[in-house]
Amino acid sequence: SGVEVMSQTIDMTPSWETAAMIYCQVLQNPDASASAKEDAQADLIRLGQFVDRLHAERKEVSNDDSK
């Protein structure tokens, strides 16, 4: 029939702010499974590690610029 079908991928990844809000709700939910709470905790820790690395990199760049 000559009809061309195009596929498109839509990124539905939440922002870190939204993810953190969801994780907080999971951690506060007494009905959440242990694995859901462990996953939420692990991702929040990973976020903290990422932010710490960014701060360290910015500090290095700032120190390099002042030389």
Side-chain angles (χ1 to χ4, degrees), residues 45-65:
I45 291 169
R46 187 169 60 95
L47 172 59
Q49 292 168 339
F50 177 74
V51 172
D52 287 344
R53 280 194 307 273
L54 280 179
H55 281 291
E57 289 173 11
R58 285 187 177 178
K59 191 173 185 178
E60 283 179 25
V61 169
S62 176
N63 288 341
D64 289 346
D65 287 347

PDB file of all heavy atoms in Angstrom, residues 45-65:
ATOM      1  N   ILE A  45      21.098   8.232  47.316  1.00  0.00           N
ATOM      2  CA  ILE A  45      22.529   8.254  47.640  1.00  0.00           C
ATOM      3  C   ILE A  45      23.351   8.489  46.378  1.00  0.00           C
ATOM      4  O   ILE A  45      24.302   9.284  46.374  1.00  0.00           O
ATOM      5  CB  ILE A  45      22.942   6.952  48.356  1.00  0.00           C
ATOM      6  CG1 ILE A  45      22.317   6.912  49.744  1.00  0.00           C
ATOM      7  CG2 ILE A  45      24.465   6.816  48.425  1.00  0.00           C
ATOM      8  CD1 ILE A  45      22.416   5.573  50.452  1.00  0.00           C
ATOM      9  N   ARG A  46      22.964   7.836  45.290  1.00  0.00           N
ATOM     10  CA  ARG A  46      23.663   8.038  44.007  1.00  0.00           C
ATOM     11  C   ARG A  46      23.551   9.493  43.554  1.00  0.00           C
ATOM     12  O   ARG A  46      24.523  10.080  43.066  1.00  0.00           O
ATOM     13  CB  ARG A  46      23.074   7.102  42.943  1.00  0.00           C
ATOM     14  CG  ARG A  46      23.830   7.100  41.637  1.00  0.00           C
ATOM     15  CD  ARG A  46      23.366   5.959  40.733  1.00  0.00           C
ATOM     16  NE  ARG A  46      21.958   6.039  40.399  1.00  0.00           N
ATOM     17  CZ  ARG A  46      21.482   6.598  39.287  1.00  0.00           C
ATOM     18  NH1 ARG A  46      22.304   7.119  38.404  1.00  0.00           N
ATOM     19  NH2 ARG A  46      20.199   6.610  39.043  1.00  0.00           N
ATOM     20  N   LEU A  47      22.399  10.099  43.744  1.00  0.00           N
ATOM     21  CA  LEU A  47      22.220  11.509  43.400  1.00  0.00           C
ATOM     22  C   LEU A  47      23.154  12.375  44.234  1.00  0.00           C
ATOM     23  O   LEU A  47      23.806  13.284  43.722  1.00  0.00           O
ATOM     24  CB  LEU A  47      20.763  11.933  43.628  1.00  0.00           C
ATOM     25  CG  LEU A  47      20.464  13.424  43.493  1.00  0.00           C
ATOM     26  CD1 LEU A  47      20.821  13.943  42.104  1.00  0.00           C
ATOM     27  CD2 LEU A  47      19.005  13.700  43.813  1.00  0.00           C
ATOM     28  N   GLY A  48      23.221  12.083  45.532  1.00  0.00           N
ATOM     29  CA  GLY A  48      24.119  12.841  46.400  1.00  0.00           C
ATOM     30  C   GLY A  48      25.566  12.713  45.961  1.00  0.00           C
ATOM     31  O   GLY A  48      26.318  13.704  45.945  1.00  0.00           O
ATOM     32  N   GLN A  49      25.991  11.512  45.586  1.00  0.00           N
ATOM     33  CA  GLN A  49      27.358  11.288  45.111  1.00  0.00           C
ATOM     34  C   GLN A  49      27.628  12.078  43.836  1.00  0.00           C
ATOM     35  O   GLN A  49      28.701  12.677  43.676  1.00  0.00           O
ATOM     36  CB  GLN A  49      27.599   9.794  44.866  1.00  0.00           C
ATOM     37  CG  GLN A  49      27.615   8.975  46.137  1.00  0.00           C
ATOM     38  CD  GLN A  49      27.561   7.480  45.874  1.00  0.00           C
ATOM     39  OE1 GLN A  49      27.135   7.033  44.801  1.00  0.00           O
ATOM     40  NE2 GLN A  49      27.989   6.694  46.848  1.00  0.00           N
ATOM     41  N   PHE A  50      26.644  12.113  42.948  1.00  0.00           N
ATOM     42  CA  PHE A  50      26.782  12.849  41.696  1.00  0.00           C
ATOM     43  C   PHE A  50      26.943  14.347  41.969  1.00  0.00           C
ATOM     44  O   PHE A  50      27.821  15.006  41.406  1.00  0.00           O
ATOM     45  CB  PHE A  50      25.563  12.591  40.805  1.00  0.00           C
ATOM     46  CG  PHE A  50      25.576  13.348  39.519  1.00  0.00           C
ATOM     47  CD1 PHE A  50      26.416  12.981  38.482  1.00  0.00           C
ATOM     48  CD2 PHE A  50      24.733  14.436  39.332  1.00  0.00           C
ATOM     49  CE1 PHE A  50      26.433  13.685  37.287  1.00  0.00           C
ATOM     50  CE2 PHE A  50      24.740  15.145  38.142  1.00  0.00           C
ATOM     51  CZ  PHE A  50      25.593  14.772  37.118  1.00  0.00           C
ATOM     52  N   VAL A  51      26.111  14.876  42.860  1.00  0.00           N
ATOM     53  CA  VAL A  51      26.192  16.303  43.196  1.00  0.00           C
ATOM     54  C   VAL A  51      27.532  16.615  43.864  1.00  0.00           C
ATOM     55  O   VAL A  51      28.160  17.640  43.577  1.00  0.00           O
ATOM     56  CB  VAL A  51      25.001  16.724  44.088  1.00  0.00           C
ATOM     57  CG1 VAL A  51      25.170  18.142  44.598  1.00  0.00           C
ATOM     58  CG2 VAL A  51      23.689  16.596  43.316  1.00  0.00           C
ATOM     59  N   ASP A  52      27.988  15.722  44.754  1.00  0.00           N
ATOM     60  CA  ASP A  52      29.292  15.914  45.393  1.00  0.00           C
ATOM     61  C   ASP A  52      30.407  15.971  44.356  1.00  0.00           C
ATOM     62  O   ASP A  52      31.319  16.807  44.450  1.00  0.00           O
ATOM     63  CB  ASP A  52      29.582  14.800  46.399  1.00  0.00           C
ATOM     64  CG  ASP A  52      28.757  14.927  47.671  1.00  0.00           C
ATOM     65  OD1 ASP A  52      28.191  16.011  47.932  1.00  0.00           O
ATOM     66  OD2 ASP A  52      28.666  13.916  48.411  1.00  0.00           O
ATOM     67  N   ARG A  53      30.366  15.085  43.351  1.00  0.00           N
ATOM     68  CA  ARG A  53      31.374  15.097  42.291  1.00  0.00           C
ATOM     69  C   ARG A  53      31.320  16.405  41.499  1.00  0.00           C
ATOM     70  O   ARG A  53      32.362  16.979  41.170  1.00  0.00           O
ATOM     71  CB  ARG A  53      31.194  13.907  41.351  1.00  0.00           C
ATOM     72  CG  ARG A  53      31.774  12.622  41.882  1.00  0.00           C
ATOM     73  CD  ARG A  53      31.897  11.549  40.789  1.00  0.00           C
ATOM     74  NE  ARG A  53      30.672  11.292  40.057  1.00  0.00           N
ATOM     75  CZ  ARG A  53      29.737  10.425  40.442  1.00  0.00           C
ATOM     76  NH1 ARG A  53      29.884   9.739  41.553  1.00  0.00           N
ATOM     77  NH2 ARG A  53      28.659  10.242  39.721  1.00  0.00           N
ATOM     78  N   LEU A  54      30.107  16.868  41.191  1.00  0.00           N
ATOM     79  CA  LEU A  54      29.977  18.139  40.461  1.00  0.00           C
ATOM     80  C   LEU A  54      30.576  19.299  41.252  1.00  0.00           C
ATOM     81  O   LEU A  54      31.280  20.139  40.689  1.00  0.00           O
ATOM     82  CB  LEU A  54      28.505  18.441  40.161  1.00  0.00           C
ATOM     83  CG  LEU A  54      27.876  17.731  38.981  1.00  0.00           C
ATOM     84  CD1 LEU A  54      26.405  18.126  38.854  1.00  0.00           C
ATOM     85  CD2 LEU A  54      28.596  18.065  37.690  1.00  0.00           C
ATOM     86  N   HIS A  55      30.278  19.330  42.552  1.00  0.00           N
ATOM     87  CA  HIS A  55      30.829  20.399  43.405  1.00  0.00           C
ATOM     88  C   HIS A  55      32.354  20.338  43.422  1.00  0.00           C
ATOM     89  O   HIS A  55      33.020  21.379  43.329  1.00  0.00           O
ATOM     90  CB  HIS A  55      30.287  20.305  44.831  1.00  0.00           C
ATOM     91  CG  HIS A  55      28.914  20.859  44.981  1.00  0.00           C
ATOM     92  ND1 HIS A  55      28.616  22.194  44.885  1.00  0.00           N
ATOM     93  CD2 HIS A  55      27.735  20.251  45.240  1.00  0.00           C
ATOM     94  CE1 HIS A  55      27.324  22.394  45.061  1.00  0.00           C
ATOM     95  NE2 HIS A  55      26.757  21.217  45.271  1.00  0.00           N
ATOM     96  N   ALA A  56      32.924  19.141  43.529  1.00  0.00           N
ATOM     97  CA  ALA A  56      34.370  18.992  43.538  1.00  0.00           C
ATOM     98  C   ALA A  56      34.976  19.447  42.212  1.00  0.00           C
ATOM     99  O   ALA A  56      36.002  20.141  42.200  1.00  0.00           O
ATOM    100  CB  ALA A  56      34.750  17.541  43.825  1.00  0.00           C
ATOM    101  N   GLU A  57      34.340  19.088  41.097  1.00  0.00           N
ATOM    102  CA  GLU A  57      34.838  19.506  39.782  1.00  0.00           C
ATOM    103  C   GLU A  57      34.772  21.015  39.627  1.00  0.00           C
ATOM    104  O   GLU A  57      35.705  21.635  39.112  1.00  0.00           O
ATOM    105  CB  GLU A  57      34.040  18.826  38.672  1.00  0.00           C
ATOM    106  CG  GLU A  57      34.311  17.349  38.543  1.00  0.00           C
ATOM    107  CD  GLU A  57      33.381  16.662  37.561  1.00  0.00           C
ATOM    108  OE1 GLU A  57      32.646  17.352  36.815  1.00  0.00           O
ATOM    109  OE2 GLU A  57      33.374  15.411  37.541  1.00  0.00           O
ATOM    110  N   ARG A  58      33.688  21.619  40.074  1.00  0.00           N
ATOM    111  CA  ARG A  58      33.563  23.081  39.983  1.00  0.00           C
ATOM    112  C   ARG A  58      34.601  23.773  40.849  1.00  0.00           C
ATOM    113  O   ARG A  58      35.143  24.806  40.474  1.00  0.00           O
ATOM    114  CB  ARG A  58      32.164  23.536  40.374  1.00  0.00           C
ATOM    115  CG  ARG A  58      31.143  23.248  39.321  1.00  0.00           C
ATOM    116  CD  ARG A  58      29.822  23.853  39.662  1.00  0.00           C
ATOM    117  NE  ARG A  58      28.882  23.617  38.583  1.00  0.00           N
ATOM    118  CZ  ARG A  58      27.621  24.004  38.615  1.00  0.00           C
ATOM    119  NH1 ARG A  58      27.153  24.632  39.666  1.00  0.00           N
ATOM    120  NH2 ARG A  58      26.828  23.757  37.604  1.00  0.00           N
ATOM    121  N   LYS A  59      34.875  23.206  42.016  1.00  0.00           N
ATOM    122  CA  LYS A  59      35.882  23.777  42.900  1.00  0.00           C
ATOM    123  C   LYS A  59      37.252  23.714  42.245  1.00  0.00           C
ATOM    124  O   LYS A  59      38.030  24.668  42.311  1.00  0.00           O
ATOM    125  CB  LYS A  59      35.879  23.032  44.233  1.00  0.00           C
ATOM    126  CG  LYS A  59      36.683  23.692  45.300  1.00  0.00           C
ATOM    127  CD  LYS A  59      36.490  23.000  46.635  1.00  0.00           C
ATOM    128  CE  LYS A  59      37.207  23.745  47.743  1.00  0.00           C
ATOM    129  NZ  LYS A  59      37.011  23.139  49.044  1.00  0.00           N
ATOM    130  N   GLU A  60      37.567  22.569  41.582  1.00  0.00           N
ATOM    131  CA  GLU A  60      38.833  22.440  40.872  1.00  0.00           C
ATOM    132  C   GLU A  60      38.947  23.471  39.780  1.00  0.00           C
ATOM    133  O   GLU A  60      39.981  24.121  39.639  1.00  0.00           O
ATOM    134  CB  GLU A  60      38.958  21.043  40.249  1.00  0.00           C
ATOM    135  CG  GLU A  60      39.301  19.951  41.220  1.00  0.00           C
ATOM    136  CD  GLU A  60      39.387  18.596  40.531  1.00  0.00           C
ATOM    137  OE1 GLU A  60      39.644  18.547  39.302  1.00  0.00           O
ATOM    138  OE2 GLU A  60      39.187  17.576  41.231  1.00  0.00           O
ATOM    139  N   VAL A  61      37.889  23.637  38.984  1.00  0.00           N
ATOM    140  CA  VAL A  61      37.902  24.612  37.893  1.00  0.00           C
ATOM    141  C   VAL A  61      38.072  26.018  38.464  1.00  0.00           C
ATOM    142  O   VAL A  61      38.838  26.817  37.944  1.00  0.00           O
ATOM    143  CB  VAL A  61      36.610  24.499  37.038  1.00  0.00           C
ATOM    144  CG1 VAL A  61      36.493  25.671  36.083  1.00  0.00           C
ATOM    145  CG2 VAL A  61      36.602  23.183  36.289  1.00  0.00           C
ATOM    146  N   SER A  62      37.383  26.317  39.538  1.00  0.00           N
ATOM    147  CA  SER A  62      37.467  27.631  40.179  1.00  0.00           C
ATOM    148  C   SER A  62      38.899  27.889  40.672  1.00  0.00           C
ATOM    149  O   SER A  62      39.424  28.965  40.510  1.00  0.00           O
ATOM    150  CB  SER A  62      36.474  27.715  41.325  1.00  0.00           C
ATOM    151  OG  SER A  62      36.601  28.943  41.999  1.00  0.00           O
ATOM    152  N   ASN A  63      39.499  26.867  41.263  1.00  0.00           N
ATOM    153  CA  ASN A  63      40.877  27.019  41.752  1.00  0.00           C
ATOM    154  C   ASN A  63      41.846  27.174  40.598  1.00  0.00           C
ATOM    155  O   ASN A  63      42.806  27.922  40.693  1.00  0.00           O
ATOM    156  CB  ASN A  63      41.268  25.815  42.629  1.00  0.00           C
ATOM    157  CG  ASN A  63      40.578  25.822  43.968  1.00  0.00           C
ATOM    158  OD1 ASN A  63      40.087  26.840  44.429  1.00  0.00           O
ATOM    159  ND2 ASN A  63      40.510  24.667  44.611  1.00  0.00           N
ATOM    160  N   ASP A  64      41.617  26.459  39.480  1.00  0.00           N
ATOM    161  CA  ASP A  64      42.478  26.574  38.309  1.00  0.00           C
ATOM    162  C   ASP A  64      42.373  27.960  37.685  1.00  0.00           C
ATOM    163  O   ASP A  64      43.346  28.516  37.213  1.00  0.00           O
ATOM    164  CB  ASP A  64      42.139  25.513  37.267  1.00  0.00           C
ATOM    165  CG  ASP A  64      42.552  24.116  37.690  1.00  0.00           C
ATOM    166  OD1 ASP A  64      43.332  23.982  38.660  1.00  0.00           O
ATOM    167  OD2 ASP A  64      42.088  23.137  37.061  1.00  0.00           O
ATOM    168  N   ASP A  65      41.170  28.542  37.687  1.00  0.00           N
ATOM    169  CA  ASP A  65      40.943  29.863  37.098  1.00  0.00           C
ATOM    170  C   ASP A  65      41.621  30.961  37.909  1.00  0.00           C
ATOM    171  O   ASP A  65      41.985  32.007  37.367  1.00  0.00           O
ATOM    172  CB  ASP A  65      39.449  30.174  37.007  1.00  0.00           C
ATOM    173  CG  ASP A  65      38.758  29.364  35.908  1.00  0.00           C
ATOM    174  OD1 ASP A  65      39.461  28.768  35.072  1.00  0.00           O
ATOM    175  OD2 ASP A  65      37.511  29.328  35.909  1.00  0.00           O
TER     176      ASP A  65
END
